[in-house]
Amino acid sequence: MMTFNVTKITKTSSSFELRTWDPEGVIFYGDTNPNDDWFMLGLRDGRPEIQLHNHWAQLTVGAGPRLDDGRWHQVEVKMDGDSVLLGVDGEEVLRLRQVSGPLAGKAQPVMKIALGGLLFPPSNLRLPAQTSASIPTSTRSCAVESQPGVFFPPGAHAEFSLRGIPQPHAEPWAFSLELGLQLAAGAGHLLALGTPENSPWLSLRLQDQKVVLSSASGPGLDLSLVSGLPLQLKMDMSRVVLSQGPKEEVLALPPLGLEPLSNLWAQPQGYLFLGAVPGEVSSASFCLDGLWAQGQRLDVDQALSRSQDIWTHSCPQSLGNGTDTSH
């Protein structure tokens, strides 16, 4: 958060460069009073959106081109008398008239600015929005060439409640997961099924460029990893199949071997863990172009909880220096 004395502000415009793959989120928020004098610039469906609430106007307006294309865009917000102007790449895309007054007349002399988030609950917005867009927040991240996807830096994690994702087939019992694994490095968990208090019942770990499948019911197996091909995990009551492209490994289960796993769906604390599991020190980093349960895509933004350093809508084009920072 930054603070400014409005009585000393001489320039009533702000310009910056923006690059993102995220179609929705807050770019910046400012207020002199969060109850009756605030402003928000964000993205919705990839296009700029302004929300403001003050003594002169209360409104929500979207305008301009899509900015969620991974390219750099010049954005300018400017106050001109009683108007607010929005410019994108040198072109004025929105002019709101009779919506503001002079800064010198503000009841509170201090303006607070937040980048990528809000200074009040998201429910206070006129139209709710995600509270952070995947916009680089450090010079190292900005220097990284990116592509669409979801990036987990070392130690990052996301948790989904098993009750909140597509459910297994009942008769006969079957469940499938697919990871669109694009890049992977280091060692640590990619995915696990279990509860926070206990060791995972079933897990996939990254180790020496292999995916290692482990099960609480007995010995596991491994599969050499090929980046760019979907990694598929299919389970029924007698076996677990791990495949990538033409390669396939099958783990046969003892009688009733999968019953503890199928019971996880009945537990409030039954989770799908993506990335590091609780208590793990992981060096694994990886990029996904999608995650599917029972053929339906899961949205990391909708996870029960997740690390804030996950890049939810972009991935580096290669794993190396500069890819361990927040985004």
Side-chain angles (χ1 to χ4, degrees), residues 23-42:
E24 181 175 331
V26 175
I27 298 173
F28 77 81
Y29 162 93
D31 73 43
T32 61
N33 184 322
N35 294 318
D36 57 23
D37 187 18
W38 57 264
F39 175 95
M40 189 277 290
L41 174 67

Side-chain angles (χ1 to χ4, degrees), residues 7 14 16-17 28 84 121 126 130 184 197 199 246 293 304 319:
T7 65
S14 173
F16 51 89
E17 290 186 315
F28 77 81
V84 173
R126 294 181 52 78
Q130 294 177 16
E197 298 81 15
S199 298
L304 193 65
L319 299 181

Side-chain angles (χ1 to χ4, degrees), residues 191-273:
L191 177 150
L193 294 165
T195 62
E197 298 81 15
N198 302 308
S199 298
W201 196 95
L202 191 77
S203 68
L204 294 181
R205 283 181 52 85
L206 181 66
Q207 185 175 330
D208 300 325
Q209 285 300 297
K210 292 183 178 180
V211 176
V212 180
L213 170 65
S214 300
S215 167
S217 66
L221 53 81
D222 61 66
L223 186 72
S224 295
L225 185 64
V226 179
S227 296
L229 292 178
L231 188 66
Q232 295 181 324
L233 185 67
K234 297 181 179 180
M235 297 164 271
D236 59 34
M237 294 304 291
S238 63
R239 65 178 192 164
V240 179
V241 180
L242 179 65
S243 63
Q244 190 180 37
K247 296 188 299 180
E248 179 178 286
E249 296 288 343
V250 179
L251 176 65
L253 298 173
L256 302 179
L258 207 60
E259 186 171 353
L261 177 62
S262 62
N263 290 339
L264 282 175
W265 271 262
Q267 301 183 29
Q269 297 296 309
Y271 288 164
L272 164 63
F273 298 97

Side-chain angles (χ1 to χ4, degrees), residues 114-177:
L115 299 179
L118 303 170
L119 299 179
F120 59 23
S123 58
N124 287 12
L125 287 172
R126 294 181 52 78
L127 186 62
Q130 294 177 16
T131 56
S132 61
S134 294
I135 299 164
T137 55
S138 75
T139 54
R140 286 194 297 169
S141 289
C142 288
V144 176
E145 290 299 320
S146 62
Q147 59 188 343
V150 180
F151 176 60
F152 282 67
H157 59 89
E159 291 86 38
F160 294 86
S161 169
L162 290 180
R163 292 182 171 184
I165 66 175
Q167 300 297 289
H169 292 298
E171 295 293 341
W173 193 94
F175 186 70
S176 66
L177 290 165

